[in-house]
Amino acid sequence: MLKDITIGQYIPGTSLIHRLDPRCKILSVIIYMIALFVVNDTVGYFSVLLFSLLIILLTGISPVYYFKGIKALLIIIFLTVGLHFFMTPGTVVAEIGPLAITQEGIKQGIFMGTRLILLVTITSVLTLTTTPIALTDGIELLLNPFKRIGVPAHELAMMMTIALRFIPTLVEETDKIMKAQMARGADFESGNIIQRAKALIPLLVPLFLGAFRRADDLAMAMEARCYRGGENRTRMKQLKYSSLDIIAMVVIVVFLGFSIYTRVVL
Amino acid sequence: MNIRTITKISLIAAIYAALTIGLAPLSYNFVQLRISEALTVLPFIMPESILGLFIGCAIANIYSGLGIYDIVFGSLATLISAFLTAKMPTKWLAPLPPVAVNAVIIGYMWSYFAQMPFYLTAGYVAIGQIGACYLLGLPLLHLFTKSQILKKIKEF
């Protein structure tokens, strides 16, 4: 039932995008998404598409990985495009029974489809070129300014890092418990949805007990090494902005400016 | 925050993420039957799980389709519903906030991105959530409150 999983889709590389600081990448993705929602005409969508293709080329990662991300959302994309094709009022182009495809519908459908595909693809760029740990570090540093209003930035990042480290362990453990319960006659694969849901309970209970035992061991190990939270801690890998990051930020801000321009002026 | 709390929260987050990622195809379809969403009943008996679910959800969503928006809004929906679940008066109502909050927030998000009718997207989300939270979550809660498991967990 459980398949082999890879945590994080990180593909190692040395491309320009790989070398960017994770903070810079996270901020850029946010700005990119604002731009994606600002554009609303052909010129706008076309320029976003071109810009995105350029970034994808820069990562040097095979397009196959990007298609994987899109494949997961294929049903939603088709549903969206279809709904817009038929539901937008306007000049009728073709009629299938009671349903009519309109010119405006085709345009709107293509726009929304493009928007969804780009949303997925650009996030893939972030997760394909950044390790989960670098991403967590980036999030911690970006949250630092919010410490004053009580956001526990260091603790949150610490918890994320520990969680990331234990996901593979727990997946393995889930698999083991499943096999152990199956050997005792548990049935996870047949029956209706209620029976299946109930069958998962003998799985979740030992999983919890095991996890809490690990949490206890880990707490003891951390205490023994005098862990005292974020104050005065140093890092093995320090994040530093380079000139590359500054250039990337300038490019993305100019791009946002251009998107606003296409909406307001053109 | 003491170290024991930190590690407990982290492991709850890891369980959530492991279940979501391990059972991935079921989790990321439009009708999201996230088995891991059954864990959203836990804040009712374990306050540590509020933050744990939030972090677990954020990690799991990093690998879902919609990206930054899903990370921000999906995790926020989980955080809000976990707070509300902790405040529910009876265990019959404990699975209600994850159903309602997710249907509204995620449903609205989907309908905005894809420009689709809100009732459609909210309905889809709600169906999946009812499945996970009531069919699996409620029995889980019964078991945890009735048996000695909770006591054992609290001792750690």
Side-chain angles (χ1 to χ4, degrees):
Chain A
M1 205 160 155
L2 290 175
K3 35 187 197 63
D4 287 333
I5 56 148
T6 41
I7 303 299
Q9 303 142 301
Y10 179 64
I11 312 268
T14 51
S15 74
L16 277 178
I17 309 286
H18 278 89
R19 276 183 279 148
L20 288 176
D21 188 285
R23 287 168 290 180
C24 169
K25 278 191 262 194
I26 296 170
L27 287 176
S28 303
V29 168
I30 294 171
I31 296 173
Y32 172 92
M33 298 221 170
I34 297 172
L36 187 57
F37 280 90
V38 164
V39 294
N40 66 346
D41 57 2
T42 317
V43 180
Y45 273 103
F46 198 67
S47 57
V48 175
L49 196 63
L50 269 183
F51 184 70
S52 315
L53 282 176
L54 188 73
I55 291 174
I56 290 168
L57 279 179
L58 275 178
T59 61
I61 293 170
S62 148
V64 177
Y65 292 102
Y66 296 105
F67 284 125
K68 266 188 200 160
I70 297 170
K71 221 174 80 187
L73 281 183
L74 218 55
I75 306 170
I76 300 166
I77 294 169
F78 272 123
L79 214 75
T80 307
V81 174
L83 215 70
H84 281 287
F85 267 22
F86 293 109
M87 299 304 223
T88 318
T91 334
V92 177
V93 182
E95 267 180 290
I96 310 166
L99 297 167
I101 301 180
T102 61
Q103 219 169 3
E104 286 81 356
I106 294 177
K107 203 168 149 188
Q108 195 65 12
I110 292 172
F111 281 176
M112 289 304 138
T114 316
R115 184 195 266 185
L116 283 180
I117 291 173
L118 290 179
L119 268 177
V120 180
T121 318
I122 285 303
T123 314
S124 298
V125 169
L126 179 67
T127 49
L128 285 170
T129 62
T130 322
T131 59
I133 296 294
L135 219 52
T136 315
D137 280 352
I139 293 172
E140 176 180 357
L141 291 168
L142 284 175
L143 283 178
N144 260 343
F146 298 103
K147 261 187 184 163
R148 272 187 214 155
I149 56 163
V151 176
H154 171 77
E155 281 83 357
L156 280 177
M158 188 71 199
M159 290 187 276
M160 267 184 94
T161 314
I162 297 176
L164 279 170
R165 182 251 168 268
F166 277 101
I167 291 168
T169 317
L170 289 183
V171 169
E172 211 183 290
E173 203 156 288
T174 312
D175 204 41
K176 254 188 214 160
I177 297 169
M178 259 184 170
K179 283 181 184 145
Q181 300 287 36
M182 270 147 90
R184 291 171 177 81
D187 183 5
F188 294 109
E189 270 149 12
S190 62
N192 61 28
I193 196 162
I194 298 174
Q195 285 164 334
R196 275 194 192 200
K198 283 205 169 139
L200 283 172
I201 287 176
L203 174 78
L204 291 177
V205 172
L207 187 63
F208 262 86
L209 283 176
F212 275 87
R213 197 166 292 133
R214 278 176 202 282
D216 190 53
D217 288 348
L218 182 65
M220 215 182 314
M222 283 165 80
E223 262 165 4
R225 287 166 179 76
C226 302
Y227 172 80
R228 265 178 292 111
E231 291 291 305
N232 301 325
R233 276 180 74 83
T234 52
R235 295 165 175 282
M236 190 167 149
K237 280 185 186 159
Q238 296 282 350
L239 290 180
K240 250 190 230 146
Y241 284 118
S242 65
S243 49
L244 200 64
D245 297 303
I246 298 166
I247 297 169
M249 287 316 283
V250 170
V251 169
I252 195 86
V253 169
V254 167
F255 175 68
L256 176 65
F258 178 73
S259 308
I260 296 171
Y261 175 78
T262 64
R263 179 168 184 148
V264 177
V265 183
L266 293 181
Chain B
M1 230 182 267
N2 85 43
I3 299 175
R4 224 149 277 262
T5 321
I6 290 183
T7 56
K8 269 189 202 173
I9 294 173
S10 314
L11 264 294
I12 293 175
I15 292 178
Y16 183 100
L19 286 178
T20 313
I21 299 168
L23 306 166
L26 259 158
S27 312
Y28 296 136
N29 272 335
F30 195 48
V31 178
Q32 280 207 337
L33 201 101
R34 269 196 182 179
I35 301 290
S36 45
E37 280 292 306
L39 303 183
T40 52
V41 297
L42 288 178
F44 188 69
I45 42 175
M46 272 188 264
E48 298 100 324
S49 56
I50 297 176
L51 261 183
L53 292 174
F54 170 62
I55 294 168
C57 189
I59 294 175
N61 282 348
I62 289 178
Y63 305 108
S64 84
L66 260 188
I68 293 281
Y69 283 91
D70 213 14
I71 302 171
V72 175
F73 293 112
S75 322
L76 221 57
T78 305
L79 186 64
I80 296 169
S81 63
F83 262 119
L84 292 176
T85 301
K87 298 257 179 296
M88 283 288 132
T90 69
K91 65 181 168 189
W92 298 100
L93 287 176
L96 192 63
V99 175
V101 175
N102 275 292
V104 171
I105 295 183
I106 308 298
Y108 184 74
M109 184 179 84
W110 271 117
S111 80
Y112 180 75
F113 285 160
Q115 299 284 309
M116 296 224 276
F118 172 67
Y119 63 90
L120 255 181
T121 50
Y124 268 127
V125 177
I127 291 171
Q129 286 297 97
I130 289 172
C133 300
Y134 271 98
L135 290 185
L136 186 54
L138 206 54
L140 190 71
L141 198 56
H142 272 300
L143 198 81
F144 269 50
T145 42
K146 259 197 285 178
S147 66
Q148 300 295 308
I149 301 160
L150 194 64
K151 240 173 138 189
K152 268 193 190 165
I153 287 178
K154 288 246 162 95
E155 275 166 18
F156 282 126

